[in-house]
């Protein structure tokens, strides 16, 4: 039995409206051209047998060479130098850097707090999940090249949002059912098992000799 697509549009968590339209195939021709160009580039690089870092270094070398030739020839024929982004010429204002740091600080602290929970063993279940996930990721990265992984991410970016937009009601129902089953398994079995595992205790500073004397 086939599932009919559910009409309705979704909103992606991106600020650029053009990027959202591209990933959701609002203009099929435009998205097809972009995706086809990325696929052609991947095939070309794959058959060239060059690594992703090698290709990136070659492109940067070519860019530097072109800009150098442009500058030299422009001096002879009295042409302006190659255009540069404003931040390369004028630098980045300190106010902008402070604003970025202020916005990023809460996320950095959350990441550090999460890392502390994982490494300290305070959250046993999360530590197990992260450890298993990293082990699985290591096996995937051992069999897939960085270029292939990058192209797989591109394919997912062009496919997942559109598929979810077409079948979001059905997908949400499946996710809810899966969440309920995971919650049931956790409450019925995992929570009892985790209670049997001693968690890490918070280390308290040792009592000083002067404090003992006062007592």
């Amino acid at each position: 039995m086939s599932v009919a697509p559910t009409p309705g549009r979704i909103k992606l968590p991106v600020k650029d409206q053009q990027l959202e339209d591209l990933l959701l195939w609002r203009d099929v021709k435009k998205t097809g051209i972009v995706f086809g160009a990325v696929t052609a580039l991947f095939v070309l690089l794959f058959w060239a047998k060059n690594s992703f870092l090698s290709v990136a270094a070659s492109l940067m070398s070519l860019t530097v060479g072109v800009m150098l030739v442009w500058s030299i020839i422009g001096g002879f024929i009295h042409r302006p130098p190659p255009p540069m982004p404003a931040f390369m010429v004028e630098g980045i204002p300190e106010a902008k850097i402070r604003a970025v740091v202020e916005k990023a600080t809460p996320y950095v602290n959350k990441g550090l707090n999460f890392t502390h929970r994982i490494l300290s063993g305070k959250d046993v279940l999360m530590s197990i999940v992260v450890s298993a996930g990293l082990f699985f990721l290591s096996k995937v990265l051992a069999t897939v090249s960085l270029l292939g992984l990058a192209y797989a991410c591109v394919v997912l970016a062009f496919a997942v949002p559109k598929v979810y937009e077409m079948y979001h009601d059905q997908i949400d129902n499946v996710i809810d059912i899966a969440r309920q089953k995971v919650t049931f398994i956790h409450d019925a079995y995992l929570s009892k098992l985790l209670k049997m595992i001693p968690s890490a205790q918070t280390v308290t500073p040792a009592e000083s000799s002067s404090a003992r004397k006062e007592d």
Side-chain angles (χ1 to χ4, degrees):
M1 180 179 180
S2 60
V3 180
T6 303
R9 292 192 170 192
I10 63 172
K11 182 70 177 177
L12 297 181
V14 295
K15 295 182 179 180
D16 192 343
Q17 185 62 42
Q18 293 183 351
L19 178 60
E20 179 179 311
D21 294 341
L22 187 71
L23 296 178
L24 290 174
W25 296 76
R26 302 292 188 223
D27 187 340
V28 178
K29 182 178 180 181
K30 182 178 180 180
T31 304
I33 292 174
V34 173
F35 183 71
V38 173
T39 302
L41 180 62
F42 167 74
V43 173
L44 179 63
L45 296 177
F46 178 79
W47 287 106
K49 300 299 182 181
N50 291 328
S51 66
F52 180 80
L53 296 178
S54 175
V55 173
S58 299
L59 292 176
M60 287 189 287
S61 175
L62 178 62
T63 301
V64 173
V66 169
M67 300 297 276
L68 177 61
V69 172
W70 186 341
S71 299
I72 295 175
I73 295 178
F76 284 108
I77 62 177
H78 304 290
R79 293 285 185 178
M84 295 286 181
F87 70 88
M88 288 187 178
V89 180
E90 302 173 359
I92 303 176
E94 293 184 5
K96 275 190 176 181
I97 297 178
R98 290 196 191 99
V100 172
V101 171
E102 289 178 358
K103 290 181 179 179
T105 299
Y107 298 100
V108 173
N109 289 334
K110 287 181 181 179
L112 293 175
N113 183 39
F114 178 77
T115 304
H116 176 260
R117 286 172 52 203
I118 299 303
L119 297 180
S120 64
K122 291 183 177 180
D123 193 334
V124 178
L125 178 60
M126 186 59 66
S127 297
I128 294 174
V129 171
V130 171
S131 178
L134 291 175
F135 177 78
F136 176 75
L137 182 62
S138 68
K139 296 301 181 181
V140 172
L141 294 178
T143 57
V144 180
S145 66
L146 185 60
L147 180 62
L149 187 62
Y151 180 70
C153 293
V154 172
V155 173
L156 291 175
F158 277 91
V160 172
K162 187 60 179 178
V163 172
Y164 179 74
E165 183 180 54
M166 296 173 63
Y167 302 98
H168 59 88
D169 288 341
Q170 294 86 345
I171 293 174
D172 289 342
N173 290 334
V174 172
I175 293 175
D176 289 338
I177 294 173
R179 185 185 296 114
Q180 292 173 6
K181 289 185 176 181
V182 170
T183 303
F184 172 77
I185 294 174
H186 177 271
D187 295 340
Y189 305 104
L190 291 180
S191 60
K192 297 178 181 179
L193 179 62
L194 292 175
K195 288 180 181 178
M196 300 172 61
I197 303 176
S199 59
Q201 300 295 327
T202 303
V203 179
T204 57
E207 184 181 10
S208 63
S209 59
S210 60
R212 289 196 298 269
K213 289 179 180 178
E214 291 177 358
D215 294 338

